[in-house]
Amino acid sequence: MSLVTISIILGLVAVAYGAFTSTQVLGASAGNAKMQEIAAAIQEGAQAYLKRQYTTIAIVGVIVAAIVAFALGTISATGFIIGAVLSGVAGFIGMNISVRANVRTAAAAQTGLQQGLTLAFRAGAITGMLVAGLALLAIAGFYWYLTQVAGYSVGGDDRTVVDGLVALAFGASLISIFARLGGGIFTKAADVGADLVGKVEAGIPEDDPRNPAVIADNVGDNVGDCAGMAADLFETYVVTVGATMVLTALLLKGVANLEALMALPLLIGGVCIVTSIIGTYFVRLGGGKNIMGAMYKGFLVTAVLSVPAIWWAIGYALGGMETVINPGAAQEFTGRTLFYCSFLGLVITGLIIWITEYYTGTNYRPVKSIAKASETGHGTNVIQGLAISLEATALPTIVICGGIIIAYQLAGLMGIAYAATAMLALAGMVVALDAYGPVTDNAGGIAEMAGLDDSVREKTDALDAVGNTTKAVTKGYAIGSAGLAALVLFAAYTTDLKEFFPNLEVNFSLENPYVIVGLLLGALLPNLFGSMGMTAVGRAAGDVVKDVRDQFKNNPGIMTYETKPDYARTVDLVTKAAIKEMIVPSLLPVLAPIAVYYVITWVAGDQAAGFAALGAMLLGVIVGGLFIAVSMTSGGGAWDNAKKYIEDGHHGGKGSEAHKAAVTGDTVGDPYKDTAGPAVNPMIKITNIVALLLLAALAAH
Amino acid sequence: MSLVTISIILGLVAVAYGAFTSTQVLGASAGNAKMQEIAAAIQEGAQAYLKRQYTTIAIVGVIVAAIVAFALGTISATGFIIGAVLSGVAGFIGMNISVRANVRTAAAAQTGLQQGLTLAFRAGAITGMLVAGLALLAIAGFYWYLTQVAGYSVGGDDRTVVDGLVALAFGASLISIFARLGGGIFTKAADVGADLVGKVEAGIPEDDPRNPAVIADNVGDNVGDCAGMAADLFETYVVTVGATMVLTALLLKGVANLEALMALPLLIGGVCIVTSIIGTYFVRLGGGKNIMGAMYKGFLVTAVLSVPAIWWAIGYALGGMETVINPGAAQEFTGRTLFYCSFLGLVITGLIIWITEYYTGTNYRPVKSIAKASETGHGTNVIQGLAISLEATALPTIVICGGIIIAYQLAGLMGIAYAATAMLALAGMVVALDAYGPVTDNAGGIAEMAGLDDSVREKTDALDAVGNTTKAVTKGYAIGSAGLAALVLFAAYTTDLKEFFPNLEVNFSLENPYVIVGLLLGALLPNLFGSMGMTAVGRAAGDVVKDVRDQFKNNPGIMTYETKPDYARTVDLVTKAAIKEMIVPSLLPVLAPIAVYYVITWVAGDQAAGFAALGAMLLGVIVGGLFIAVSMTSGGGAWDNAKKYIEDGHHGGKGSEAHKAAVTGDTVGDPYKDTAGPAVNPMIKITNIVALLLLAALAAH
């Protein structure tokens, strides 16, 4: 059986796991009629939003597909469509599981904490395995079709396979930036809006059924934190594994077992799906109530099992660990070297998770310092939160730099690619931990609205607090891997450049002013993108505030429980706002590289200057984006948990002045961590992929 | 008369202007006894702070001077000491003028707006001309001594002059980062602390004499916005002009009129002192009350007059505009080309001022959007402010990129150096506009505390509102010029590297992973530095809050005006906190380049890798720092003026919920714009200069 076939089978195993576990989750009790009614409203809102989002994205997608078809041919266009559609499917499934698991988790939490945890985590695991499985199937299946059915080969001068894989990644990235941003704007506009009028002005608790924005807030968890996140991680997986294959095809053109090397990243992805599935069964509370510990147990089992699994995969694919893969090259390496690089990827993943937990967990200095700063008011809370945001970039940067150096010393650029691939191989498990969060968040909301016993809400709150950290962890992980993957894409860019334009001397030295200009313009992109995302949330949240105020004013019965607020009106308003706001920022990374290439080439009167600036822009967007993404996601998580820490009875507890200040910090952190920050990850990749496609298009015409 | 002698004379003209105008300012009425008593308290606090700050800096300075002497010899150590001492003197004079002009401005405002403006602006102009004059004297004098008295020459292999100039710049930078950061922490800790307890908790107005932190707040304006700013701009001037001379010595070694070219940047600085002095006399209100317009009139006169002045200086120094300066070089250029580059520098200055005014002025969308967002609460105010912060980086980045490209196409690296030099040549005028701000701010405080008529406070408030914008303008200008100056320093680094280690192949290509690591670590520095600055303010402000609360509690007579608060206790507390907090962050840019070089050389086992990473770090710190500095300074200014805009009666005016939210935004913006943001400017330069000194030291040993 070929390596690709094995990978496809392992991808199908993930899908089968998803289907099997779905029946378990859906078989659980969906609670009483009131709960089901609320859940139905959330479900309806989420579906309505996703339908409208996908319709809009489809229009952009069709136009871009046509451009890809024109510039690079139908095979690339097919790759683009596969990537785009499956990215959408990943988000759609994530949302659909989540909106059904929420109410069942609330029901299960009536029985006990373990039951709630099991149900919510299973729901997360379904999304996780489907994301990893579909991503693997997309690449492996398309690659299998191109090489086995259509008969294209790699290793020669034919670019069909490489271009197809890049186009596939582009499709995934383009959809995911829309999904991340649209979902992110929706969820945070609803959340911020609901909090501002509900908690701050009207003085009613979170998730109070009298708040007209409460259903929109819960819908947001599903379309943003769940569907958006799933599309994002699908993209990250496809781009990372795809980029590793592309780099293999470009750098190892003439080596003996090129076919096995092309399939190896797929196989690593495949075996880690198995270890991820095994890991999910270890997520259970021990004697205590340490929910985070239960999560880590599962992750640790997956990570530890992945070590021998990857070792086996490499040995099996290459027929041994010690054979030199690229004899005669300046830097020779073996299967064992690639294993070390993969192991390094697992270590980086572990370190980033650990650092992120330190910066966002309630047990450590950062969150406690924000909580303490809340005592002296709104201003000092925000100042300390911003300081922590900036500080949180330090250790991840150092880890990534260490990873780059070690991987490069082991096996050059291929080493970096394998480190990134191994990081992403754990995506199934990481997404499982993340997708669990919005389910418990929703469960808490449903428990509150359905008037369940306070003990239920306490359990869902305990589950949700952990969700804040796991959500931050996924984002740190995604952006960390993006840092490595983008370097791989940059390497593909420079290699392609030499292949397509062999006579052009492109000077990538820092002494070239066009390189400096490219770096600056690249670093500008995430700043501008972040600004657009934040503004969009602020604007949409302002609309929500006005709508809620209006409902309270014109329908005084709401506050006395005599009449019900018009939930659907608010959902509809947020939907429209989010869709409208997501378009322009999403197109920024698509159009900027093209503009920079043409403008600089024109100004300098020299194509080489244009390519140099474009290349530097790709690195600039990583250098700038890494800091913005990490600071926003970690800082936002820290703010959120500082509020939770105060609500747990510190610094005066709920209702104190410190708590009010912490609510402000949480509000500021919302678009940071759930809109602008995470969307930087697909943004970085899109910029890089567009540059690769531009190169291919320029060479073809 | 030699060009250097002319420059020295023009520098002395600036000092003479300062002395002459000082007598005018000091001759003005110092108000009634109550006002003088308050002013004396502020003066005493500022002097006590500066004394303690300089004592601390002196300890660090002596240690560093010893290291410089050991590594590079006594001449470099002398240069370091001159730079350091004069940087301190610039700050000291700025503070001393400011603490005497504040009360006189308050007194003058009793007569009329024009009188207040004249006095405050004259005080600013004294600081401005002394900063520019002393900076010019420092470089020109030291250069004159080395070449005319000690007999060292440039153009040969002797490095004494070049190393001496670099060491001079280092001295200026090191002191200025301490001054900027220490002063920044002091002013904002006092400001934030005073606001939090006074305005927010106790509900007493700003500058109320019952607030124990009110004197500390006013002291802060003088030691931070005035002394710190003066030291910063002194540094920027010395580094930029010095770097241009160093680059001239390195790149134009063999050309015919090298001596004239070495002196030309000094002469440009000199003639622009004259145009700046002329400009100051044009700052006066026309028929209306457009204070900003009056400021711009002065600036515009200076800028326009500088064009022919620079034309004359170049022609006079080179004996004609059309002679090719570097015949036979790959990119030949003439005096006319250098004039175009200088003109470009003036255009960049104008554009940055215009952009900064757009982002921080109350008449435009950004500030209005923050004010509007305040209606929906603290959270949306901060979100919108952060969005504006990020957005504000876009246009300056594009202007700087455009400047780099045009200057480089005209005259290569020398073109960039001349653009930067011309920018800094206007420093006298720019500092005048800036230093005017804290004087009016203090004047308002004194008017309030002395119980002067409300009409006086109205006038000082009008003057102060403009101060917010001019302060932001200076910072944008300083960081913009830093972007260009740092490129010049980087060019000096690469040129030096080739000279010192001719056999070492250092690969600065973006394809070198050590370059990427260097870029990432460089970009990390401003993030970490910003975090430290913000934390320091938060911590020190927290101390102030506790002290003020304590005074209110233990001395209830304060609120009823029966007893006076213990102002000195608060001043003393903030002084200690600021000094303690400034040390570690200031050392970060000094030690980081050294650490990166040694660690990377050791890890890679290759000196070339260490130099590549270090070089990339120098650019990384610009790429990262530019965005952090611009976003913080513009964003902070926008928050401040959004509050002022609301206080002017929009969105509910003073005391409304929107106003409370705007106060929070202003509080957050305080450390952004006055502590962390502006200190990034000297930080960027220090990193670059330390790298240059490290190279020289490695080559010498």
Side-chain angles (χ1 to χ4, degrees):
Chain A
M1 199 154 48
S2 88
L3 299 174
V4 180
T5 317
I6 301 178
S7 308
I8 292 178
I9 291 172
L10 292 172
L12 291 171
V13 167
V15 176
Y17 169 89
F20 169 71
T21 312
S22 291
T23 58
Q24 287 187 324
V25 168
L26 296 179
S29 156
N32 62 34
K34 176 118 199 213
M35 290 162 72
Q36 292 190 27
E37 184 198 337
I38 297 162
I42 298 173
Q43 202 169 318
E44 196 185 312
Q47 263 153 353
Y49 171 75
L50 230 56
K51 196 179 149 197
R52 209 175 314 183
Q53 175 177 281
Y54 284 157
T55 314
T56 310
I57 297 180
I59 298 169
V60 179
V62 167
I63 297 169
V64 175
I67 296 172
V68 171
F70 168 77
L72 294 163
T74 46
I75 294 212
S76 287
T78 310
F80 173 83
I81 293 167
I82 294 175
V85 169
L86 283 183
S87 174
V89 168
F92 187 76
I93 294 177
M95 182 277 288
N96 264 301
I97 295 298
S98 177
V99 293
R100 284 170 178 80
N102 53 9
V103 63
R104 291 171 171 83
T105 300
Q110 290 179 303
T111 324
L113 188 65
Q114 173 68 60
Q115 284 75 359
L117 171 64
T118 303
L119 216 135
F121 181 74
R122 271 193 193 149
I126 297 168
T127 306
M129 294 315 146
L130 285 178
V131 164
L134 287 178
L136 186 60
L137 284 176
I139 326 172
F142 188 53
Y143 179 72
W144 172 82
Y145 170 81
L146 289 179
T147 53
Q148 307 294 316
V149 181
Y152 293 102
S153 72
V154 285
D157 283 335
D158 187 352
R159 299 273 313 181
T160 311
V161 175
V162 166
D163 288 352
L165 287 173
V166 174
L168 175 78
F170 182 46
S173 289
L174 189 67
I175 298 319
S176 99
I177 197 171
F178 279 114
R180 246 310 182 194
L181 207 58
I185 294 169
F186 187 112
T187 179
K188 290 306 128 176
D191 190 355
V192 170
D195 282 3
L196 285 175
V197 208
K199 278 200 245 179
V200 182
E201 284 183 25
I204 54 179
E206 197 165 333
D207 294 320
D208 191 290
R210 288 170 294 176
N211 192 332
V214 72
I215 294 289
D217 184 12
N218 282 286
V219 168
D221 294 340
N222 294 293
V223 300
D225 301 348
C226 209
M229 182 274 298
D232 182 4
L233 270 287
F234 175 89
E235 178 266 1
T236 307
Y237 196 111
V238 168
V239 170
T240 307
V241 175
T244 304
M245 293 173 73
V246 166
L247 199 68
T248 305
L250 295 176
L251 289 186
L252 301 175
K253 229 173 202 178
V255 306
N257 44 6
L258 180 61
E259 262 186 53
L261 283 161
M262 285 298 285
L264 180 53
L266 299 172
L267 190 61
I268 290 179
V271 296
C272 289
I273 280 180
V274 178
T275 61
S276 296
I277 290 177
I278 297 172
T280 61
Y281 289 101
F282 285 81
V283 174
R284 44 178 55 257
L285 296 172
K289 296 204 158 184
N290 184 353
I291 305 168
M292 199 69 208
M295 297 284 189
Y296 278 159
K297 225 184 310 173
F299 174 78
L300 215 67
V301 167
T302 298
V304 169
L305 290 181
S306 296
V307 176
I310 293 176
W311 173 275
W312 173 84
I314 294 175
Y316 180 77
L318 303 181
M321 300 300 280
E322 313 299 348
T323 333
V324 173
I325 290 171
N326 53 349
Q331 188 179 18
E332 292 186 336
F333 52 83
T334 63
R336 178 185 286 272
T337 329
L338 292 184
F339 168 75
Y340 289 147
C341 295
S342 308
F343 182 70
L344 178 70
L346 300 179
V347 172
I348 294 173
T349 305
L351 285 175
I352 286 184
I353 290 181
W354 179 72
I355 294 165
T356 311
E357 206 210 326
Y358 173 73
Y359 275 101
T360 59
T362 45
N363 297 327
Y364 306 99
R365 174 189 59 84
V367 168
K368 284 184 182 169
S369 76
I370 299 176
K372 189 166 178 339
S374 311
E375 281 188 358
T376 40
H378 300 259
T380 40
N381 166 290
V382 175
I383 290 174
Q384 185 61 22
L386 288 171
I388 293 296
S389 301
L390 293 169
E391 187 195 308
T393 59
L395 290 177
T397 306
I398 292 169
V399 166
I400 289 168
C401 285
I404 291 172
I405 292 177
I406 297 172
Y408 192 83
Q409 288 195 338
L410 284 168
L413 291 166
M414 287 310 302
I416 296 176
Y418 269 82
T421 297
M423 281 186 82
L424 260 294
L426 302 188
M429 188 66 194
V430 175
V431 171
L433 298 180
D434 185 323
Y436 140 98
V439 172
T440 58
D441 197 353
N442 256 236
I446 292 171
E448 185 83 32
M449 283 185 274
L452 297 188
D453 194 71
D454 278 355
S455 69
V456 179
R457 176 78 201 206
E458 268 166 37
K459 283 175 204 137
T460 59
D461 268 357
L463 294 171
D464 187 29
V466 173
N468 271 325
T469 299
T470 58
K471 273 167 63 183
V473 159
T474 312
K475 290 163 199 159
Y477 159 84
I479 188 70
S481 72
L484 296 181
L487 293 188
V488 176
L489 290 169
F490 176 73
Y493 173 81
T494 55
T495 315
D496 258 4
L497 197 57
K498 281 173 203 144
E499 192 168 301
F500 286 138
F501 300 90
N503 301 320
L504 202 63
E505 275 280 337
V506 179
N507 175 10
F508 283 119
S509 168
L510 296 177
E511 294 165 90
N512 179 355
Y514 296 108
V515 165
I516 293 172
V517 167
L519 284 173
L520 286 171
L521 293 177
L524 173 57
L525 285 186
N527 281 279
L528 205 51
F529 182 79
S531 165
M532 289 173 172
M534 302 278 289
T535 316
V537 170
R539 204 156 33 206
D543 290 350
V544 173
V545 167
K546 282 188 199 122
D547 178 71
V548 173
R549 279 185 187 158
D550 188 65
Q551 292 207 29
F552 279 153
K553 196 178 150 200
N554 294 323
N555 192 351
I558 293 177
M559 286 306 278
T560 54
Y561 297 97
E562 280 159 37
T563 48
K564 272 173 85 175
D566 187 349
Y567 300 126
R569 181 174 125 181
T570 316
V571 170
D572 194 55
L573 180 144
V574 188
T575 299
K576 280 184 193 144
I579 301 285
K580 197 181 74 188
E581 299 279 2
M582 79 179 176
I583 306 280
V584 176
S586 298
L587 291 178
L588 182 70
V590 178
L591 301 178
I594 301 173
V596 162
Y597 166 74
Y598 281 107
V599 169
I600 297 287
T601 300
W602 174 72
V603 168
D606 176 11
Q607 200 179 20
F611 283 133
L614 176 55
M617 180 182 217
L618 305 184
L619 279 185
V621 78
I622 306 171
V623 171
L626 182 69
F627 293 97
I628 294 218
V630 173
S631 68
M632 286 185 167
T633 53
S634 290
W639 261 314
D640 198 340
N641 272 342
K643 186 193 71 176
K644 285 224 165 21
Y645 181 77
I646 290 178
E647 287 173 353
D648 286 348
H650 303 90
H651 305 290
K654 261 192 180 176
S656 64
E657 284 303 311
H659 184 239
K660 281 182 198 155
V663 170
T664 293
D666 177 38
T667 307
V668 173
D670 272 343
Y672 244 49
K673 73 180 198 303
D674 289 322
T675 312
V680 167
N681 168 29
M683 198 212 72
I684 293 177
K685 260 86 65 76
I686 289 189
T687 317
N688 278 271
I689 294 170
V690 168
L692 279 179
L693 293 174
L694 179 66
L695 266 190
L698 286 171
H701 289 269
Chain B
M1 200 154 49
S2 88
L3 299 173
V4 180
T5 317
I6 301 177
S7 308
I8 292 177
I9 292 172
L10 292 173
L12 290 170
V13 167
V15 175
Y17 170 89
F20 169 71
T21 312
S22 291
T23 59
Q24 287 188 322
V25 168
L26 295 178
S29 157
N32 62 33
K34 177 116 202 219
M35 288 161 74
Q36 293 190 26
E37 184 198 336
I38 297 161
I42 297 173
Q43 203 170 319
E44 196 184 314
Q47 263 154 352
Y49 171 75
L50 228 56
K51 197 179 148 195
R52 209 175 313 183
Q53 175 178 281
Y54 283 158
T55 313
T56 310
I57 298 180
I59 298 169
V60 179
V62 167
I63 297 169
V64 175
I67 296 172
V68 171
F70 170 77
L72 294 163
T74 47
I75 295 211
S76 288
T78 311
F80 172 82
I81 292 167
I82 295 174
V85 168
L86 284 182
S87 174
V89 169
F92 188 75
I93 294 177
M95 183 278 286
N96 264 299
I97 296 298
S98 175
V99 293
R100 284 171 179 79
N102 51 11
V103 63
R104 291 171 170 81
T105 301
Q110 289 179 303
T111 322
L113 188 64
Q114 173 69 59
Q115 284 76 359
L117 171 64
T118 302
L119 216 135
F121 181 74
R122 272 192 193 149
I126 298 168
T127 306
M129 293 315 144
L130 286 178
V131 164
L134 287 178
L136 185 61
L137 284 175
I139 326 173
F142 188 53
Y143 178 71
W144 172 81
Y145 170 80
L146 290 180
T147 53
Q148 306 295 316
V149 181
Y152 294 102
S153 72
V154 285
D157 283 336
D158 186 354
R159 299 272 314 179
T160 311
V161 176
V162 166
D163 288 352
L165 287 174
V166 174
L168 176 78
F170 182 45
S173 290
L174 188 66
I175 299 317
S176 99
I177 197 171
F178 279 114
R180 246 308 182 197
L181 206 58
I185 294 169
F186 187 113
T187 181
K188 290 305 127 175
D191 190 357
V192 170
D195 282 3
L196 285 175
V197 208
K199 279 200 244 179
V200 182
E201 283 183 24
I204 54 179
E206 198 166 335
D207 295 320
D208 191 291
R210 289 171 292 177
N211 192 333
V214 72
I215 293 290
D217 184 12
N218 281 286
V219 168
D221 293 338
N222 294 291
V223 301
D225 300 348
C226 208
M229 181 275 296
D232 181 3
L233 270 287
F234 176 88
E235 178 266 359
T236 308
Y237 196 111
V238 169
V239 171
T240 307
V241 175
T244 305
M245 292 173 72
V246 166
L247 199 69
T248 306
L250 296 175
L251 289 186
L252 300 176
K253 230 174 204 177
V255 305
N257 44 5
L258 179 61
E259 263 184 51
L261 283 162
M262 285 297 286
L264 181 52
L266 299 172
L267 191 62
I268 291 179
V271 296
C272 288
I273 280 179
V274 178
T275 60
S276 296
I277 291 176
I278 298 172
T280 61
Y281 290 101
F282 286 81
V283 174
R284 43 178 56 255
L285 295 172
K289 297 203 157 185
N290 185 352
I291 305 168
M292 199 71 207
M295 297 282 189
Y296 278 159
K297 226 184 308 171
F299 175 79
L300 214 66
V301 168
T302 298
V304 169
L305 289 181
S306 296
V307 176
I310 293 176
W311 173 275
W312 173 84
I314 294 175
Y316 180 77
L318 303 180
M321 300 301 281
E322 314 300 347
T323 334
V324 174
I325 290 170
N326 53 350
Q331 189 179 16
E332 292 185 339
F333 53 83
T334 64
R336 180 184 285 272
T337 330
L338 292 184
F339 168 76
Y340 290 148
C341 296
S342 307
F343 182 71
L344 179 69
L346 300 180
V347 172
I348 294 174
T349 305
L351 285 174
I352 287 184
I353 290 179
W354 179 73
I355 294 166
T356 311
E357 206 210 324
Y358 173 73
Y359 275 102
T360 60
T362 45
N363 298 327
Y364 306 100
R365 174 190 58 84
V367 168
K368 285 185 182 167
S369 74
I370 298 177
K372 191 169 176 342
S374 311
E375 280 188 358
T376 39
H378 301 260
T380 40
N381 167 291
V382 177
I383 290 173
Q384 185 61 20
L386 288 171
I388 292 296
S389 301
L390 293 169
E391 188 195 305
T393 60
L395 290 177
T397 305
I398 291 168
V399 166
I400 290 168
C401 285
I404 291 172
I405 291 176
I406 297 172
Y408 192 84
Q409 288 195 338
L410 284 168
L413 291 166
M414 286 310 302
I416 296 176
Y418 269 82
T421 296
M423 281 187 82
L424 260 294
L426 301 188
M429 190 65 195
V430 175
V431 171
L433 299 179
D434 184 323
Y436 141 99
V439 172
T440 58
D441 197 353
N442 255 237
I446 292 171
E448 184 84 33
M449 283 184 275
L452 297 189
D453 194 71
D454 279 354
S455 69
V456 179
R457 176 79 201 206
E458 267 165 37
K459 282 174 206 138
T460 59
D461 268 357
L463 294 171
D464 187 29
V466 173
N468 271 326
T469 299
T470 58
K471 273 167 63 183
V473 159
T474 313
K475 290 162 199 158
Y477 160 83
I479 188 69
S481 73
L484 296 182
L487 294 188
V488 176
L489 290 169
F490 176 72
Y493 173 82
T494 54
T495 315
D496 258 4
L497 196 58
K498 280 172 203 143
E499 192 168 301
F500 286 137
F501 301 91
N503 301 320
L504 202 64
E505 275 281 337
V506 179
N507 175 9
F508 282 117
S509 168
L510 296 177
E511 294 165 89
N512 180 354
Y514 296 108
V515 166
I516 294 172
V517 167
L519 284 172
L520 286 171
L521 293 177
L524 172 58
L525 285 187
N527 280 278
L528 204 51
F529 182 80
S531 164
M532 288 174 174
M534 302 277 289
T535 317
V537 170
R539 205 155 33 203
D543 290 350
V544 173
V545 168
K546 281 188 199 123
D547 178 70
V548 173
R549 280 186 187 157
D550 188 65
Q551 292 207 30
F552 279 153
K553 197 177 150 201
N554 294 322
N555 192 351
I558 294 176
M559 286 306 280
T560 55
Y561 296 97
E562 281 159 38
T563 49
K564 273 174 80 177
D566 188 350
Y567 300 125
R569 181 174 125 182
T570 315
V571 170
D572 194 56
L573 181 145
V574 187
T575 299
K576 280 186 193 143
I579 302 285
K580 198 181 73 188
E581 299 279 3
M582 79 179 176
I583 306 280
V584 175
S586 298
L587 291 178
L588 182 70
V590 178
L591 301 178
I594 302 174
V596 162
Y597 166 75
Y598 281 108
V599 169
I600 298 288
T601 300
W602 174 71
V603 169
D606 177 9
Q607 202 180 17
F611 283 132
L614 176 56
M617 179 181 217
L618 304 184
L619 279 185
V621 78
I622 306 172
V623 171
L626 183 70
F627 293 97
I628 294 219
V630 173
S631 68
M632 285 185 168
T633 54
S634 291
W639 261 314
D640 198 339
N641 273 342
K643 185 193 72 177
K644 286 225 167 15
Y645 182 76
I646 290 178
E647 287 172 353
D648 286 348
H650 302 91
H651 304 292
K654 261 192 179 174
S656 64
E657 285 303 312
H659 184 239
K660 281 184 198 154
V663 169
T664 293
D666 177 37
T667 306
V668 174
D670 272 343
Y672 244 48
K673 74 180 197 304
D674 289 322
T675 312
V680 167
N681 169 27
M683 198 212 75
I684 292 176
K685 261 86 64 82
I686 289 189
T687 317
N688 278 270
I689 294 171
V690 168
L692 279 179
L693 292 174
L694 179 66
L695 265 189
L698 286 170
H701 290 269

